[in-house]
Amino acid sequence: MSVSQPVATTPSAVARIGSRWYFVVTIVSFGFFAWVPFVHAALRLGRKSLYVRAVAFGAAAAVVGVLMSLAPKDTAGKAVGTTGNLLTSLGVVVALAVVAVACVQQSRLRREILHHVPGERLDGPDPALAAALAARERRVGARKLAAEEPLIARDLRIGRPDLARDYDDGGLVDLNNAPAGVIASVCGLDAATAEAIVDIRTTVGGFVAVDDVSTVVPFGTLDRIRDRAVVLPV
C-alpha cells in the first residue's frame, strides 16, 4: 500500500500578500521589531538557528535604543551638540543597516514558508531518521558480506554485539552464535523465546536461514527478526 506524501502547492496571491507583514513590521518599527518575523519563521520551519538570529536582531535594536537615549536632547527632543548629533546619526545608520539586512534575510525565509510542506524539515534531514537509514544500509552490506564471505564475517564478528569489534554491522545479531540475552535485546524478544531459539539451534546444529525460527517466535515479531538477524556458520 502506497503512502501519500504531502505535496507543496503554489502559494496564492492572498498568501503572498499576507506574508509581507515581515517587511511591514521591520520597516515601520525602524528595525526595533525586526526580530519578531524570525521567531515566527523559527516556529513555522522548526529551525532553531532562527532563534539565534532573532536574538541578534533584538540585540541590534537594543544598541540603537541605547545610542538614541544617550544623545543629548533639547526640550523639543532634538539632538543637540556634536555628541548628540553623532550618537543620533550612528543610531540611524545602525537602524538602517538592521532594516536592510533583516529584509534581505526575511525575503528568503518568506519564500521558504510560502513553499513549505507541513511536517517537512527545512534544516536538513531528521538526525534520527538519517541514523536509522544509515544503520539499515550497513545491515544490508553486512548481510551481503556474510553470505559471500562467511569466514571474513566471523572474523569481523558480524552479529556479535556482545564481543569487542571494530566493524559496524548496523545492529545485526547472529542467531547461530549469539547468546540468548543478546538475541532477545536486538530482536525485541522476551527471554523465554530467545532461550527457545538457542535450544532449537543446539538441537538442529544451527539454522540455515533466519526464517527457520518462524515456528517459535511470537506473531508479529518475524519482520523485526528478519531486519536484525543473520545466520553464520556455527
Side-chain angles (χ1 to χ4, degrees), residues 105-186:
Q105 295 189 11
Q106 290 166 7
S107 178
R108 298 171 184 167
L109 292 175
R110 175 174 168 270
R111 287 195 296 270
E112 290 185 13
I113 290 175
L114 286 174
H115 294 87
H116 177 47
V117 177
E120 180 187 60
R121 293 175 64 96
L122 296 179
D123 55 348
D126 182 274
L129 176 59
L133 293 175
R136 186 177 67 181
E137 289 300 315
R138 289 194 293 271
R139 289 196 294 275
V140 171
R143 237 186 234 105
K144 181 179 179 182
L145 177 61
E148 297 176 352
E149 300 287 351
L151 295 180
I152 294 178
R154 281 180 64 93
D155 290 341
L156 294 175
R157 295 176 175 175
I158 288 177
R160 295 303 304 273
D162 54 309
L163 302 178
R165 56 183 182 167
D166 296 321
Y167 182 80
D168 183 359
D169 59 18
L172 288 176
V173 62
D174 180 7
L175 297 181
N176 273 344
N177 298 285
V182 176
I183 295 174
S185 176
V186 175

Side-chain angles (χ1 to χ4, degrees), residues 14 21 25 52 70-71 81 110 117 129 141 143 163 190 192 221 228:
V14 174
W21 70 266
V25 168
V52 178
L70 291 177
R110 175 174 168 270
V117 177
L129 176 59
R143 237 186 234 105
L163 302 178
D190 58 79
T221 60
R228 295 304 182 97

